[in-house]
Amino acid sequence: MAQIAYILLCHKDVESIIAQATRLTATGDAMAIHFDARSPRGDYDRLREALSENPRVAFPRRRQKCGWGEWSLVGATLAAVEAAVEAFPRATHFYMLSGDCMPIKTAEYSRDFLDRRDADFIESFDFHDSDWIKTGFKEERLIYRHWFNERTQPRLFYGSHAIQKRLGLTRRVPRDIQMMIGSQWWCLRRQTVEAILDFIRERRDVVRFFKTTWIPDETFFQTLVRHLVPENQIDNRTLTFLMFTDYGMPVTFYNDHYDLLLAQDFLFARKISAEATDLKAKLGRLYTQTGVRFRVSNEGRRLFTFLTGRGRVGERFAPRFWEKDATIGRERSLLIVTCKKWHVAKRLLDRIAKVSNLPTIEYLFDEEATPMTDLGGIQATLAKRTRHRRALMRMLFDYYGTDSLLICLDPANIDLFRDFYSDRSETRLLEIECNYTDDYLEGHAKRVGLAGEHTSAETFRTLLPTIRNDVFRESELIRDQKFPEFYRIREKNDPEDNAEPLAGFLGIDLSKAREIAATEYLFVD
């Protein structure tokens, strides 16, 4: 009979991971857990301690610092797979999961399903001929080298791509490899997993290629399985039920989706809302039951397409979803940095991204050129971003797969501050108080069009008090709102004095906050 070793990549919510591991190993299966090295060490220690008495749970020898779109996700998966292969010699199948996945069939059903079909379940489509990639980079993922993270280092990511493109610094795919692409949620047989591990030990050139490929978790296993396994032993599908909107965002399932999920021809579903506690409880109980019969209709994707395509009955031309009932989400934290000196705020965000695992976006409501992913056009202009701001932020949270997101706003955006604070999400605000020299304010006047290159010195002397007062007034107006969770750091303060508000704002250890606050170039004009 099939025995499954689940491969779980996770980075947060320790209690849910413990519950998931306990539930999935209770009926005789196993699990190898990779917990992101960017996450707090205390969380990892608590996870290890809670599961230390469970012989069916294993951990890799080394944890990796993971970043979306990077090789580190593949590296973490391989580390967990190697741990599972070594710890569970009787495991016949290795099933890739995330913390957002839940079983939608019983363990009994899942094992019988795998016993009846001797195959590897993995999406594996031709990279060049298929339309699996809907928007964004396609061939550029392969022919250019990607050393930087698009989400945390957008300027470096797009800058290095532009330089390689301009200089013609392309590369070739390894000659004997046909590039494939598909979902990263797979279920592979033991002999396939062992063949992959042997292959990467022999073919370091292939590993080197994928290490600088963009989003390799959608191509690495998909390509190697097709390279190593006969076609008639590959079932070109995932066993995890997931759907995407027209904007490329994953559909989230809630409490009222129980019957729909059970009717799908899949073993697991992703992604289950953190708020869907009733759904999680019911699915958890279902997994350990025996003798359950499932009526599989598999209508989920058709039903979703039908409902989103026609709108509610009688509302074919109803307002789009972002024009009503938009909210960022009750369980999410929006962190806002505000500073009139944009370059100071951008430096702070860059430093925070390097020290922590927090996704950051610069002045997205102030600068149209802010690097952003394609979200179906809602991000195309400043007017659209501002008009649909809550929906835009929700889509960005989904895109980054995070519950915490850090952005920059100019202090003049008082209406945006008020709106975000009125949402159901948690909002925190950090003001950076800078010193403003006359030379800086003169440059600011030119940047915003209050003065030009030929404006006389006498006119500048007249303008400067007004500009200085405007900057002061914007800061005072923000403070007058008495926003909760409001923090402030000052240029005139010592790094030690700025570390405490930074730690509170970011929710990080004081030692990491000191590291950020001690950035030498932070306030340099």
Side-chain angles (χ1 to χ4, degrees):
M1 177 179 286
Q3 184 181 81
I4 306 169
Y6 293 105
I7 308 299
L8 178 65
L9 265 57
C10 50
H11 67 280
K12 61 178 182 178
D13 201 357
V14 172
E15 297 305 322
S16 292
I17 298 168
I18 295 170
Q20 189 179 33
T22 303
R23 177 173 56 247
L24 294 181
T25 60
T27 59
D29 292 317
M31 177 177 286
I33 303 173
H34 180 278
F35 193 74
D36 194 340
R38 293 186 187 275
S39 299
R41 176 75 194 192
D43 288 353
Y44 179 63
D45 291 340
R46 186 153 53 94
L47 179 65
R48 291 291 301 260
E49 182 179 358
L51 298 172
S52 60
E53 301 298 322
N54 191 333
R56 297 190 180 96
V57 175
F59 293 86
R61 291 187 178 89
R62 295 183 60 185
R63 295 190 297 154
Q64 301 214 17
K65 293 182 177 180
C66 297
W68 187 90
E70 295 179 5
W71 165 261
S72 56
L73 288 177
V74 177
T77 304
L78 289 172
V81 166
E82 289 173 342
V85 167
E86 180 179 345
F88 312 120
R90 294 186 178 181
T92 60
H93 293 78
F94 296 78
Y95 196 123
M96 182 77 179
L97 289 177
S98 77
D100 295 325
C101 295
M102 287 289 294
I104 56 175
K105 298 292 187 293
T106 62
E108 178 184 62
Y109 180 100
S110 298
R111 295 190 190 110
D112 180 65
F113 181 95
L114 295 175
D115 282 336
R116 285 187 279 109
R117 176 79 168 99
D118 184 21
D120 295 305
F121 295 87
I122 183 170
E123 283 189 352
S124 182
F125 302 100
D126 186 276
F127 185 94
H128 301 284
D129 294 339
S130 71
D131 63 348
W132 200 87
I133 299 175
K134 303 297 184 184
T135 61
F137 284 175
K138 185 170 183 178
E139 187 181 22
E140 292 90 343
R141 292 193 188 189
L142 309 179
I143 64 173
Y144 298 113
R145 295 166 179 84
H146 301 278
W147 298 284
F148 305 103
N149 189 289
E150 187 258 353
R151 294 184 172 182
T152 60
Q153 303 166 294
R155 282 181 291 180
L156 292 172
F157 178 88
Y158 289 106
S160 67
H161 169 256
I163 291 172
Q164 292 179 76
K165 187 175 182 179
R166 185 164 60 249
L167 298 178
L169 300 177
T170 59
R171 61 175 180 171
R172 292 182 178 179
V173 176
R175 292 185 178 180
D176 60 331
I177 298 294
Q178 180 186 2
M179 288 300 300
M180 310 298 287
I181 191 167
S183 168
Q184 62 267 53
W185 312 113
W186 40 254
C187 178
L188 304 178
R189 297 168 299 171
R190 186 180 193 92
Q191 61 264 36
T192 301
V193 165
E194 291 176 342
I196 290 173
L197 296 178
D198 290 340
F199 180 84
I200 62 176
R201 282 190 282 267
E202 296 173 3
R203 293 292 303 274
R204 304 308 299 174
D205 60 314
V206 174
V207 175
R208 284 194 298 272
F209 174 82
F210 278 104
K211 279 188 174 181
T212 51
T213 297
W214 184 230
I215 320 183
D217 53 320
E218 294 179 350
T219 54
F220 179 79
F221 290 98
Q222 296 77 0
T223 298
L224 294 197
V225 170
R226 185 69 65 170
H227 183 73
L228 297 169
V229 178
E231 185 175 0
N232 62 358
Q233 296 181 31
I234 300 174
D235 198 325
N236 196 2
R237 56 168 293 194
T238 174
L239 295 180
T240 299
F241 180 57
L242 67 164
M243 297 189 297
F244 292 89
T245 69
D246 291 342
Y247 297 91
M249 298 293 108
V251 173
T252 301
F253 299 109
Y254 296 93
N255 288 331
D256 56 350
H257 286 127
Y258 180 78
D259 291 331
L260 180 142
L261 292 177
L262 264 59
Q264 307 313 307
D265 189 19
F266 296 86
L267 305 184
F268 280 75
R270 185 182 187 272
K271 56 193 253 175
I272 309 298
S273 170
E275 301 172 3
T277 53
D278 290 346
L279 176 61
K280 287 185 174 182
K282 291 172 71 174
L283 292 175
R285 290 192 297 269
L286 171 73
Y287 186 72
T288 59
Q289 294 178 18
T290 58
V292 180
R293 298 184 65 182
F294 296 90
R295 295 184 177 181
V296 175
S297 61
N298 217 33
E299 84 295 345
R301 289 192 175 95
R302 292 195 302 273
L303 180 60
F304 178 77
T305 302
F306 170 75
L307 291 175
T308 56
R310 74 188 289 267
R312 295 179 182 271
V313 175
E315 295 185 5
R316 175 62 184 85
F317 300 102
R320 297 179 181 182
F321 79 93
W322 56 69
E323 294 173 347
K324 61 178 182 180
D325 301 330
T327 179
I328 295 172
R330 191 184 301 278
E331 302 299 322
R332 288 170 166 171
S333 298
L334 176 62
L335 281 61
I336 304 173
V337 170
T338 186
C339 183
K340 204 65 182 180
K341 290 186 176 180
W342 290 8
H343 61 281
V344 174
K346 290 178 179 181
R347 288 173 188 159
L348 180 65
L349 258 67
D350 183 63
R351 190 66 180 142
I352 289 172
K354 290 177 180 176
V355 173
S356 71
N357 196 29
L358 191 64
T360 62
I361 308 175
E362 296 173 358
Y363 286 86
L364 72 164
F365 293 104
D366 301 286
E367 277 188 307
E368 203 154 283
T370 298
M372 292 182 66
T373 188
D374 186 354
L375 298 174
I378 193 174
Q379 83 299 332
T381 66
L382 286 177
K384 281 188 174 183
R385 296 177 198 173
T386 304
R387 187 184 314 124
H388 310 306
R389 48 189 172 266
R390 291 197 195 182
L392 173 67
M393 296 311 303
R394 186 176 189 111
M395 293 168 74
L396 287 168
F397 272 96
D398 289 341
Y399 174 76
Y400 286 107
T402 183
D403 290 328
S404 298
L405 184 63
L406 177 59
I407 66 170
C408 289
L409 285 179
D410 188 272
N413 291 311
I414 191 66
D415 288 339
L416 289 179
F417 294 129
R418 290 170 178 156
D419 189 52
F420 287 137
Y421 262 102
S422 68
D423 190 77
R424 280 178 272 175
S425 63
E426 177 194 25
T427 301
R428 285 180 250 159
L429 178 60
L430 174 72
E431 181 186 22
I432 306 177
E433 186 180 289
C434 297
N435 302 329
Y436 298 97
T437 65
D438 288 351
D439 287 342
Y440 176 81
L441 292 176
E442 182 177 320
H444 174 71
K446 291 178 180 178
R447 285 191 294 274
V448 300
L450 293 175
E453 294 298 329
H454 303 293
T455 304
S456 67
E458 182 179 352
T459 302
F460 269 126
R461 284 194 296 272
T462 304
L463 283 173
L464 284 176
T466 302
I467 298 171
R468 191 179 296 277
N469 285 337
D470 281 346
V471 172
F472 177 78
R473 180 182 56 80
E474 289 174 355
S475 178
E476 286 298 298
L477 186 58
I478 291 173
R479 298 178 198 184
D480 288 343
Q481 305 303 308
K482 300 188 184 303
F483 291 129
E485 298 285 350
F486 175 69
Y487 304 84
R488 185 184 305 115
I489 64 173
R490 295 179 171 92
E491 182 176 355
K492 64 181 181 182
N493 286 357
D494 293 331
E496 186 66 29
D497 295 328
N498 284 333
E500 187 170 343
L502 268 174
F505 171 68
L506 295 170
I508 59 175
D509 296 334
L510 194 58
S511 59
K512 287 188 176 181
R514 289 193 186 102
E515 184 179 349
I516 296 170
T519 304
E520 294 182 0
Y521 55 84
L522 184 59
F523 292 102
V524 176
D525 283 336

